[in-house]
Amino acid sequence: MSGAGGWWRAKTTPAKVETYTRWSFHFFAVIEVSAIGLPIIGQAGATLSGPLIALVTGHAVLCAVTASRALDWTRGRREQPVRLLGALGAVTYVCAVTALALRGQGGPGDGARSATATVFVGILAFGAGTTALGVRDRRRAVALIAGFACGAGAVCLPLGLPVVAALITAAAVFLAGGFLAATSVFSVWLLNAVYELDEARETRARLAVAEERLRFGRDLHDVLGRNLAVIALKSELAVQLARRERPEAVEQMIEVQRIAQESQREVRAVVRGYRDADLAAELAGAHGVLRAAGIECTVTGDTAGLPAEVQSALGWVVRETTTNVLRHGNAERCTVSLRVTEGRVELTVENDGVTPPTGGGSGGSGIAGLRERLAAVAGTLEAGPVRADGFRVVASVPLSGRTAGARVGGVAS
């Protein structure tokens, strides 16, 4: 059971929905055999039961294979199974007509006729519903079901059935086949919607990273663009003055040196602002991003009074763990808690929906990078699985003596 559970938990949400949809179509074959084939045993005679059950079983197996191939086509994994769909349509009519032609082989009574009529309508309905999987346009699907229904009525008349019975049979095929087709089309639409939502979540995460890179590049351009232009002009002027042996060349180069040093300070300020993270802003951003991604997120704790270096280090922990929750696993809930105790501030991020690791790895490069950042402020980081499908990251950073005493005193009171 643990192996089967691990296999299921290892799948993403779209993969789980696809597996469920695929096996639902396979279950249609079981329904066809049990709902149509098994009642034949009590209705038809011993001579007629065997051939009818064989027809229903063979048709059900072909429907299951066609549904699987058609589902792969809707996901873009293979070409449209045109030949298989055509073969299913032909086999459906052959089996249905054969069942209707055998109605006189069961001896006297209405049992044989009822059994063959049930097989006739059931095979056509399941064949129509399965064939609709291979059609994208809704109008074509409706036309396909109507074609099966009209074909059913047209076949009944040459075999001696009354016109009223033929119309009733056509209506039954249209309603039953339409219901199965609508169920199949809706299942495929739901599967495609789940995949599109998953792709949208990944795209949103990539766009957030790209937006941050653009902001950083824009800030660098604003800082360096003007200064580099001034440096280029003053350097060119200094060259011209030096060639003329003018003493003003030295003054121009001193000015170039000053501007270059100023540019270095401004770049450091930009990078520092990029690297430093405001913990309150990161917590609010993580809450908003996770909620937008459909993940229930709870954030607790107060960041007031924490030193800037502590907020920066823990802010990066929030950034990295939020990214991991979005990109990895299949989280439904995430809790972020911040608390101060015994002169240390502790940040805990825990989420579910994580597949237990098969190896002994202790985390990727992101976790290693967080440990390096926390080590700069004498902090520690622990990360690992909890419970069956959870993952927990605990970052602990010491506070300065003054700040720690104030915070602990405030908590104790």
Side-chain angles (χ1 to χ4, degrees):
M1 292 298 293
S2 60
W7 166 80
W8 179 256
R9 287 194 297 269
K11 291 180 174 292
T12 61
T13 297
K16 290 178 180 178
V17 176
E18 180 176 351
T19 302
Y20 170 79
T21 304
R22 189 178 298 275
W23 282 101
S24 296
F25 290 143
H26 292 336
F27 190 67
F28 278 178
V30 179
I31 296 177
E32 182 176 359
V33 174
S34 59
I36 302 176
L38 295 182
I40 294 175
I41 300 176
Q43 294 177 349
T47 305
L48 190 58
S49 298
L52 290 179
I53 293 177
L55 288 176
V56 173
T57 303
H59 183 265
V61 172
L62 182 59
C63 285
V65 174
T66 305
S68 179
R69 299 290 179 85
L71 186 61
D72 289 338
W73 167 66
T74 60
R75 295 301 315 143
R77 300 193 183 105
R78 65 169 67 242
E79 295 182 355
Q80 185 179 15
V82 178
R83 295 183 178 179
L84 188 59
L85 291 171
L88 176 62
V91 170
T92 297
Y93 267 102
V94 169
C95 291
V97 172
T98 302
L100 202 60
L102 291 175
R103 70 185 188 279
Q105 304 297 323
D110 296 332
R113 294 187 178 184
S114 177
T116 54
T118 301
V119 172
F120 178 78
V121 174
I123 286 180
L124 287 176
F126 277 96
T130 305
T131 308
L133 279 174
V135 179
R136 293 191 186 275
D137 188 81
R138 295 180 181 178
R139 295 181 179 179
R140 292 184 179 181
V142 174
L144 179 68
I145 303 301
F148 271 87
C150 293
V155 168
C156 291
L157 294 176
L159 294 178
L161 270 73
V163 176
V164 176
L167 293 177
I168 294 176
T169 302
V173 171
F174 183 81
L175 294 177
F179 173 77
L180 293 174
T183 303
S184 301
V185 172
F186 177 76
S187 299
V188 172
W189 173 83
L190 181 62
L191 176 62
N192 292 334
V194 171
Y195 270 105
E196 290 175 0
L197 288 175
D198 187 69
E199 293 174 359
R201 185 174 66 174
E202 294 181 358
T203 302
R204 182 167 53 247
R206 290 194 298 266
L207 288 177
V209 175
E211 182 179 358
E212 183 63 18
R213 289 176 178 174
L214 287 175
R215 185 194 68 80
F216 183 65
R218 183 173 59 251
D219 291 345
L220 282 181
H221 177 270
D222 294 340
V223 169
L224 293 179
R226 178 183 59 84
N227 290 348
L228 289 177
V230 174
I231 289 174
L233 290 174
K234 287 188 172 294
S235 299
E236 183 179 357
L237 179 59
V239 170
Q240 297 297 330
L241 293 174
R243 288 176 178 174
R244 299 175 186 176
E245 298 181 355
R246 299 282 299 275
E248 292 87 348
V250 177
E251 297 179 0
Q252 295 297 327
M253 291 307 299
I254 293 175
E255 182 67 13
V256 168
Q257 183 183 19
R258 185 191 66 79
I259 296 174
Q261 292 173 348
E262 181 182 352
S263 298
Q264 286 181 332
R265 289 192 298 270
E266 291 179 350
V267 170
R268 290 193 188 100
V270 171
V271 174
R272 188 181 303 111
Y274 177 72
R275 289 181 177 175
D276 292 346
D278 181 71
L279 184 55
E282 294 298 332
L283 291 174
H287 182 269
V289 170
L290 293 177
R291 290 292 297 271
I295 300 173
E296 181 182 349
C297 180
T298 304
V299 178
T300 58
D302 185 15
T303 64
L306 295 179
E309 62 272 13
V310 173
Q311 292 203 36
S312 176
L314 295 180
W316 272 101
V317 175
V318 175
R319 285 185 186 179
E320 181 66 25
T321 52
T322 301
T323 302
N324 290 339
V325 171
L326 288 173
R327 291 185 175 179
H328 308 297
N330 183 31
E332 295 181 356
R333 292 180 298 275
C334 179
T335 59
V336 182
S337 62
L338 182 72
R339 64 190 183 95
V340 178
T341 177
E342 298 180 358
R344 299 183 70 88
V345 56
E346 187 175 277
L347 175 71
T348 303
V349 181
E350 183 175 339
N351 63 279
D352 62 355
V354 178
T355 304
T358 57
S362 58
S365 59
I367 298 297
L370 290 180
R371 288 195 173 100
E372 293 177 0
R373 290 182 181 275
L374 291 175
V377 291
T380 60
L381 185 135
E382 299 178 359
V386 292
R387 299 186 303 277
D389 63 343
F391 194 84
R392 178 187 297 163
V393 176
V394 180
S396 180
V397 179
L399 295 169
S400 62
R402 179 177 59 84
T403 308
R407 294 285 298 181
V408 172
V411 173
S413 61

